[in-house]
Structure formats: structure tokens, C-alpha cells
Amino acid sequence: MKKILITRRLLRACEDKAEGIFEANLNLNDELYSQQKLVELSEGCDGILSSLTDKLDSETINKLPDSIKIISNFAVGFGNIDLDAANNRGIAVTNTPDVLTDATAEIGILLILGACRRASEGIESARQGGWKWSADYLIGKQLTGSRLGILGMGRIGQKIAKIAKSLGMIIHYHNRSKLSEDKEQGATYHDNLKSLLSVSDVLSVCCPASKETVDMINKETLEYLPKGAVVTNVARGDIIEDEAMIDALDRRKVYAVGLDVYKNEPNLNPGYLKHKSAFILPHLGSATKDTRTAMANLAIDNLDEYFKTGNCKNKVN
Ligand code: NAP
């Protein structure tokens, strides 16, 4: 029986599944392991089922025992894992695509609605009481007819586009490569970021965190947006330069932000907390029972497939 380290708690039924297939070292207290502890606990294991809270940088990967052949990440994003270091050690890295697309797109739409329709201020006022309806009370931005720019029109971006279109938004997108017409679904392609941002009344960041995308939304690129644009991020915090974004909110260059993800989670930049127009969530993208179950089962299946065949369809390196 292969031995695996599961670095965080999974839903119980998924831990049972893992224990039925592997000798599984569970984290029953759901402790956030230090990098050193992660290395120590990997001793004698054949694989690791990791989560996005595990920083598997090159230093940590270089210290892993030779017995580790695969890191199966419990997420579609794998920015927490240094792929070059994993390649050098001959360690396969896998992810959990598709199963979380719908749940994450729902949160992507919630961010757009929450930021455009001033949900943070509305919730606070409703809780405090004493608010008075008036014709101009908490007026927000309507989605109908506004242009949605999707940065990273992959699985999640396409699903957000489909829902946003049904809400009357006009879809634009930027990827490094243009999609086929059936995937575009009438959206307009921009071959560069500047061109996309210049038509984005609302921006939805949906691309992965990578060396290329870190701080892609920064002091310079924010200026390409129309004045009073809304910026949402359902992908990864690393893609936005926080100081520049907070400055843009201060100047009203950006009307509102809708954020699910942050640099240095859970310690988001306190500048966001000062802004009533910031609609902020604690990384809830895939947080539904069905989706978390499907993700864990897929992460387990990825390990099983790799151990049995030496390959895996969800291998990313
Ligand atoms: P995906 O299908 O791989 O889509 C990613 C898209 O980004 C692709 O269309 C890709 O197109 C584009 N892209 C990649 N690098 C780019 C670059 N440098 N410039 C412009 N576009 C770029 O991934 P997905 O399943 O939709 O997931 C997207 C991301 O969402 C994940 O990586 C993850 O970080 C995040 N996520 C967050 C949550 C959450 O809880 N909030 C949940 C799930 C996923 P090209 O390759 O043509 O450029």
C-alpha cells in the first residue's frame, strides 16, 4: 500500500476514501504545517496531497525525501508549488481542474454584483438599522449594457462570461491565445492587456498566478481602465499590486473592488478594510460541499492514477 501525507483536513468521507486506498497520514487538528514539519512528515511517504496553504517552494521541495514521487494539489491553481524544483526532483505535480469551475464562477459573479451594487455598504447599513430609503440611496452601477473584461478566459472565465452575458453584460477578454469561436461565445478578443483594460467597465481577473501574471494589475496598467471601473479578482491575490489598487480606490479611479483572494492570505492589506466600496470575501471560490468533495476525490484519484500508471491526466509539469 502506498503511503501518503495529507497536509490539511478533507471532508470526512474523502478522508475515508483516501484511507481505503492508501496508508494515509491525516492532519486531524487541521494544523498549518511549517515547511520544516511538512518535510519531516513526508519521511517514508510516496506522495503528498497538498493544499494551497502549503508553500512548496524550491527550498522545501529540495528537502523532500527521495521517496516522494508526486504532489497532488487540492486546487486547480498550483502557484504554491515551484514546478521547476519539482521537475528537477522528478516529482509529478497534479491539480483538480473542472470540478470547481461552476462554484468558483458563482463567486466570481457574486464579486461583480457585490462590488457594483455596493453590497458591503448595504449589509452594514441593514445591520446597523436606521437607514432610510430614498431615490438616491446607495445607488450603484447596473450590469446591463456594461462591458465585462475577463483577464484569463479559461474554464472559470468562460463560465463567468456565460452568466454575465445572461445579465446583459458585453464580454471582452484577454488570453495569450485567442479561443475558438465556440468557446468565445461572441466575446471580443484583445491580444494585449492594455486593449482589454481600456474597454473594461468591470474587470474580472481569472488567470492563474504565475511569474508572468504577478502584479499584472499595477500602477501603470490600472491607468488603462476607464475612470470609475470596477475590479474583481476570483483568481489569486498575487496578480494585483495592492498599494496601487488602494491608491486607485482613494483617487476614485477605481469605483469599487470585489475580492476573494489576496496576497499573504489571510492577512490582506489593511488598506482594503478602510474602503466601504471593497466587497471582500475570505477565499470562498470553491467552498461548497459538492465541489470540495469532488476536488478531494479528484486529488485522491490523481495519486492513485499516478501510482498505478506512472502518469496522470491532471499532471501539470
Ligand atoms: P484555466 O482554465 O487554465 O484558465 C486560465 C486562463 O488564463 C486561460 O484562458 C489562459 O489562457 C489564461 N492565462 C494564463 N496565463 C496568462 C497570461 N500570462 N496572460 C493572460 N492570460 C493568461 O484555469 P481555471 O480553471 O479557469 O482557473 C483559473 C484560476 O482561478 C486558477 O489558476 C486559480 O488560481 C484560480 N481559482 C481560484 C479559486 C478561488 O477559490 N477563488 C478557485 C479555483 C480557481 P492562455 O494560456 O491562452 O493565456
Side-chain angles (χ1 to χ4, degrees):
M1 212 180 212
K2 295 288 184 188
K3 189 171 174 189
I4 62 162
L5 171 68
I6 304 183
T7 64
R8 297 292 307 275
R9 280 226 76 160
L10 305 174
L11 298 185
R12 187 61 240 179
C14 304
E15 292 182 341
D16 289 346
K17 171 175 162 133
E19 285 187 308
I21 304 175
F22 311 112
E23 188 185 329
N25 182 351
L26 303 179
N27 179 355
L28 294 177
N29 297 324
D30 204 24
E31 178 189 339
L32 278 178
Y33 293 147
S34 67
Q35 283 152 304
Q36 191 190 333
K37 186 150 184 190
L38 222 142
V39 170
E40 283 165 18
L41 289 172
S42 301
E43 206 54 56
C45 290
D46 303 287
I48 300 174
L49 195 157
S50 61
S51 120
L52 56 89
T53 53
D54 301 310
K55 298 259 171 293
L56 289 158
D57 55 14
S58 60
E59 203 186 329
T60 309
I61 288 181
N62 287 336
K63 287 182 188 157
L64 288 175
D66 290 340
S67 58
I68 295 290
K69 299 295 176 217
I70 170 169
I71 298 169
S72 170
N73 212 34
F74 175 59
V76 68
F78 41 86
N80 57 310
I81 303 172
D82 189 314
L83 290 190
D84 291 337
N87 282 339
N88 289 339
R89 294 286 318 273
I91 297 173
V93 176
T94 60
N95 70 344
T96 61
D98 298 313
V99 293
L100 42 57
T101 298
D102 289 357
T104 308
E106 287 174 6
I107 291 291
I109 292 291
L110 180 60
L111 297 176
I112 293 170
L113 284 166
C116 287
R117 298 302 301 272
R118 303 176 66 176
S120 293
E121 290 164 87
I123 291 166
E124 203 179 313
S125 298
R127 284 187 186 283
Q128 278 177 2
W131 47 275
K132 182 173 130 214
W133 185 94
S134 67
D136 62 355
Y137 179 60
L138 281 184
I139 280 183
K141 281 184 186 279
Q142 187 155 337
L143 304 189
T144 329
S146 64
R147 298 164 298 178
L148 174 65
I150 298 190
L151 171 55
M153 182 90 137
R155 290 168 289 243
I156 295 167
Q158 285 167 43
K159 183 72 195 223
I160 288 175
K162 192 173 174 190
I163 303 170
K165 216 171 135 186
S166 77
L167 295 170
M169 298 188 89
I170 300 149
I171 314 299
H172 295 255
Y173 76 99
H174 166 60
N175 277 351
R176 291 164 301 182
S177 37
K178 190 177 183 307
L179 296 173
S180 57
E181 266 179 35
D182 62 315
K183 288 189 171 169
E184 272 183 346
Q185 294 284 314
T188 304
Y189 178 62
H190 296 259
D191 65 6
N192 66 82
L193 183 64
K194 184 175 186 177
S195 170
L196 176 76
L197 295 188
S198 68
V199 297
S200 298
D201 300 315
V202 180
L203 178 71
S204 176
V205 178
C206 300
C207 63
S210 68
K211 281 167 192 152
E212 272 178 55
T213 62
V214 166
D215 287 338
M216 208 173 200
I217 304 301
N218 56 40
K219 192 172 187 304
E220 183 191 336
T221 56
L222 278 166
E223 290 313 305
Y224 304 149
L225 287 165
K227 182 155 174 61
V230 169
V231 177
T232 66
N233 185 5
V234 74
R236 285 289 181 267
D238 285 335
I239 300 159
I240 293 181
E241 194 180 72
D242 291 327
E243 297 298 340
M245 182 62 77
I246 290 159
D247 177 59
L249 282 165
D250 289 342
R251 292 185 287 116
R252 307 296 283 164
K253 167 75 187 177
V254 167
Y255 172 84
V257 288
L259 306 173
D260 186 44
V261 287
Y262 310 89
K263 278 198 171 83
N264 305 318
E265 289 178 14
N267 304 312
L268 64 157
N269 190 308
Y272 289 122
L273 303 177
K274 289 192 309 211
H275 276 282
K276 288 184 185 166
S277 60
F279 178 73
I280 52 176
L281 297 176
H283 204 145
L284 296 183
S286 62
T288 70
K289 188 176 177 193
D290 284 352
T291 293
R292 287 284 161 82
T293 302
M295 287 166 68
N297 285 340
L298 184 54
I300 293 164
D301 291 343
N302 286 341
L303 288 160
D304 198 29
E305 185 186 344
Y306 190 76
F307 289 138
K308 282 183 177 148
T309 69
N311 209 342
C312 175
K313 65 180 176 307
N314 294 317
K315 189 167 172 287
V316 294
N317 63 339

